[in-house]
Amino acid sequence: MAFGYIGSMRTKPGHRDDVVAILTRGQGLREAGCRLYAVGLDPEDQDKIWVSEIWESAQHHADSLQLPETKAAIAEAMPMLTGEFTGQRVEIVGGLGVS
Amino acid sequence: MAFGYIGSMRTKPGHRDDVVAILTRGQGLREAGCRLYAVGLDPEDQDKIWVSEIWESAQHHADSLQLPETKAAIAEAMPMLTGEFTGQRVEIVGGLGVS
């Protein structure tokens, strides 16, 4: 079953665009089994970024976190984040654009 | 700018699959400017459905709510929902699978 992840992160003031640039690079994601990695801004909160992800499976998602490019992106972004995250795991069952 | 919407809805006990069937039909969505309408289950809450949507624009999303097939789907699903919804509007800025 495809795995969905909906999350948000808060950036330190003035760094949202820097973090967006890192997230939208998406190096190696497709090869790692990612179908969607949508990055978006919260229209009512200038320091908040949302991501909506779809992966082949939860295992593909977990494995991707061990990739060098993922670890490098996280290390690059972390100093610009406050540490406030939300995350929701979803079991994707279908719908337009999912497969 | 592409418009994202992340929402959840609670179904009355025993009706989650019925509502999922309605949501995944997705009649007329692509023609209405929808790029993604992913439907998923909450792994920790058996009565909760998540949707992650991406539209050409917020206007496309708003206009779609006036379509006959959308109104029919909402009318069909509503009796099986408790009325508990969450919704987050997102300004999509990029990422894998977005365009």
Side-chain angles (χ1 to χ4, degrees):
Chain A
M1 182 175 286
F3 171 78
Y5 185 79
I6 299 165
S8 70
M9 64 195 82
R10 179 171 301 286
T11 61
K12 291 175 182 172
H15 286 291
R16 186 176 68 172
D17 295 346
D18 303 322
V19 175
V20 162
I22 295 167
L23 295 173
T24 48
R25 262 189 248 145
Q27 276 173 305
L29 287 178
R30 193 183 295 281
E31 298 74 14
C34 185
R35 299 183 196 169
L36 177 84
Y37 195 96
V39 181
L41 310 179
D42 189 314
E44 277 118 40
D45 187 334
Q46 64 180 6
D47 296 323
K48 199 168 191 181
I49 297 170
W50 288 87
V51 290
S52 179
E53 308 174 29
I54 297 177
W55 294 79
E56 294 299 335
S57 70
Q59 192 59 55
H60 282 85
H61 175 253
D63 292 349
S64 76
L65 299 176
Q66 303 312 317
L67 293 172
E69 48 269 48
T70 307
K71 287 184 173 180
I74 290 171
E76 190 182 352
M78 207 54 95
M80 296 186 275
L81 299 174
T82 64
E84 294 165 71
F85 299 96
T86 64
Q88 174 65 50
R89 301 166 68 93
V90 179
E91 294 167 2
I92 301 291
V93 290
L96 175 69
V98 165
S99 43
Chain B
M1 180 176 287
F3 171 77
Y5 185 79
I6 298 166
S8 71
M9 64 196 79
R10 180 171 300 286
T11 62
K12 291 174 182 173
H15 284 291
R16 187 177 69 173
D17 294 346
D18 302 322
V19 176
V20 162
I22 295 167
L23 294 173
T24 48
R25 262 189 246 145
Q27 276 172 305
L29 287 179
R30 192 182 296 281
E31 297 74 12
C34 185
R35 300 182 195 171
L36 177 84
Y37 195 96
V39 181
L41 311 179
D42 188 314
E44 276 117 42
D45 186 336
Q46 64 180 6
D47 296 324
K48 200 169 192 178
I49 297 171
W50 289 87
V51 291
S52 180
E53 308 174 30
I54 296 178
W55 293 80
E56 295 297 337
S57 69
Q59 192 59 53
H60 282 85
H61 175 252
D63 293 348
S64 75
L65 299 176
Q66 304 312 316
L67 293 170
E69 49 270 48
T70 307
K71 287 183 172 181
I74 291 171
E76 191 182 351
M78 206 54 94
M80 296 186 274
L81 300 174
T82 64
E84 293 165 72
F85 299 96
T86 65
Q88 173 66 50
R89 301 166 69 91
V90 179
E91 294 167 1
I92 301 291
V93 288
L96 175 70
V98 165
S99 45

